[in-house]
Amino acid sequence: MAPKFDASAAIADLKLTMESRFNSLKDEFQIIKDLKSELEKVNKTNAKLQRDNSELKSQLDAQSVELDDLSQYMKRHSILIHGVTESDNDGDETAVSELLDKADISLSFVDVMHRLGPRKGKNVSASTSRGLNSKPNPRPIIIRVLGHATRRQMFINSRKLPTGIFLTEHLTPKRAALLREAKAVKSRGIIHAAYSFNGMVTIRFKRDGKPIAVHSLDHLSLLLRPPNGVSGSNTAGDAGGTTDGSSSNVGDGDPTNSGSGWNQVPASGKSKSINARETDSQLSVAGNGCTNVYDNLDESGK
């Protein structure tokens, strides 16, 4: 005879099982709740760390710009002379003295003079056409002049220098790299001119366009971005079809380009604006040479 089913005992066992599983689920729920609380704390900490990191990055970027600005300011009296033939003897002083005579500048106004960078070869000749040259270019000579008037006069009279000899500003590595990039854009016919102006990299979209100070690579990319509805390839007609960057329409500090059809928006949030502390010279670098903006002025610089 089959044993009699005890319903009360079965219900009691089921109740115990359900209570055990409920307690287990309750414990698991508490664990999940605790993990969620910890995750919220981690997320808050992570958000704070991201804010702190963003603030530190902004401070670092600002300090980097200020340091570069200060470094460029310290180079304000320095000029690079390119194309002077190197020799085995100490003939740089004589060569520079002769060049300064052509520019109506006395050697007594030069404080420092030396070659820039390591020597490239025993005897390197200058290019006579500012064009292609199979030999390495001679190292530039860096000179530091006494006073802004001398610096200005040198750039004004630089057109008197022999062919293949030209002057440029002494830029910081950051600005020199930015200028190289701007010149690469110019070589593609997107802009008319790229040059440095008182340590600031400057571009013009048209020959008669106003100069635009470029503060960073991000800013350059922003300036080159076409507006909505405009093709991304700028026309060569805007470039004027010339290779020199000379123009009398410079130095007014207007960061716009009238009638260019391209965005002229300042680099918001990318970098601090580079302040030009002096406005005494402008170089327009084309290829390996430069065109002095003071070619449009008389000997007195008026």
Side-chain angles (χ1 to χ4, degrees):
M1 182 176 181
K4 185 178 179 179
F5 177 71
D6 190 351
S8 298
I11 293 173
D13 291 341
L14 180 61
K15 183 179 180 181
L16 290 175
T17 301
M18 293 297 293
E19 287 178 351
S20 177
R21 293 187 63 182
F22 176 78
N23 291 331
S24 177
L25 290 173
K26 186 177 179 180
D27 293 340
E28 291 177 0
F29 178 77
Q30 184 62 42
I31 292 174
I32 293 174
K33 187 177 179 179
D34 293 341
L35 289 176
K36 183 179 178 181
S37 178
E38 289 296 326
L39 181 61
E40 290 176 351
K41 292 180 181 179
V42 170
N43 287 337
K44 290 181 180 179
T45 302
N46 184 55
K48 183 178 183 302
L49 290 175
Q50 288 181 346
R51 290 194 300 270
D52 293 344
N53 181 64
S54 179
E55 291 176 1
L56 289 174
K57 186 178 184 302
S58 298
Q59 294 176 7
L60 181 61
D61 290 342
Q63 291 177 356
S64 176
V65 171
E66 290 177 359
L67 181 61
D68 185 75
D69 201 19
L70 178 61
S71 178
Q72 187 61 56
Y73 179 72
M74 295 176 66
K75 299 176 186 294
R76 67 193 185 281
H77 291 161
S78 298
I79 299 174
L80 298 182
I81 304 177
H82 302 264
V84 179
T85 303
E86 295 191 48
S87 58
D88 292 331
N89 52 22
D90 299 330
D92 289 344
E93 183 172 344
T94 301
V96 170
S97 179
E98 293 175 353
L99 294 175
L100 292 178
D101 287 341
K102 295 180 182 296
D104 299 326
I105 301 293
S106 172
L107 188 61
S108 60
F109 288 98
V110 175
D111 182 31
V112 176
M113 177 182 64
H114 60 82
R115 292 278 179 177
L116 191 64
R119 189 176 181 86
K120 299 178 181 179
K122 289 185 176 181
N123 194 356
V124 183
S125 300
S127 171
T128 58
S129 61
R130 298 184 183 179
L132 297 177
N133 186 5
S134 59
K135 297 181 179 180
N137 292 327
R139 293 174 298 164
I141 298 176
I142 181 172
I143 64 173
R144 188 171 65 196
V145 297
L146 302 176
H148 298 293
T150 302
R151 181 181 187 270
R152 176 184 175 87
Q153 194 66 26
M154 282 196 65
F155 283 123
I156 291 176
N157 294 338
S158 63
R159 60 183 179 272
K160 299 179 180 179
L161 299 177
T163 302
I165 307 295
F166 60 96
L167 310 180
T168 64
E169 294 181 320
H170 187 200
L171 301 177
T172 63
K174 176 182 176 181
R175 301 185 195 209
L178 180 57
L179 179 58
R180 285 194 298 270
E181 181 63 25
K183 289 174 64 179
V185 173
K186 175 185 177 295
S187 67
R188 298 196 296 269
I190 299 176
I191 60 178
H192 170 68
Y195 49 87
S196 64
F197 177 33
N198 293 309
M200 298 182 69
V201 176
T202 307
I203 64 173
R204 288 202 322 274
F205 283 89
K206 288 185 175 183
R207 180 179 180 84
D208 58 349
K210 293 184 179 180
I212 305 169
V214 183
H215 310 305
S216 65
L217 290 173
D218 290 332
H219 189 197
L220 179 62
S221 298
L222 182 62
L223 290 171
L224 297 177
R225 185 184 305 163
N228 293 334
V230 177
S231 173
S233 58
N234 199 8
T235 61
D238 284 346
T242 60
T243 57
D244 68 89
S246 60
S247 172
S248 59
N249 184 21
V250 293
D252 56 8
D254 189 345
T256 63
N257 180 33
S258 58
S260 68
W262 291 74
N263 289 329
Q264 309 301 328
V265 184
S268 175
K270 295 300 182 182
S271 65
K272 175 185 173 185
S273 175
I274 302 173
N275 296 320
R277 294 181 171 87
E278 291 115 10
T279 55
D280 58 358
S281 70
Q282 177 166 347
L283 295 179
S284 180
V285 180
N288 291 326
C290 68
T291 300
N292 193 342
V293 69
Y294 293 118
D295 287 348
N296 297 309
L297 308 179
D298 59 25
E299 295 299 323
S300 63
K302 296 181 179 179

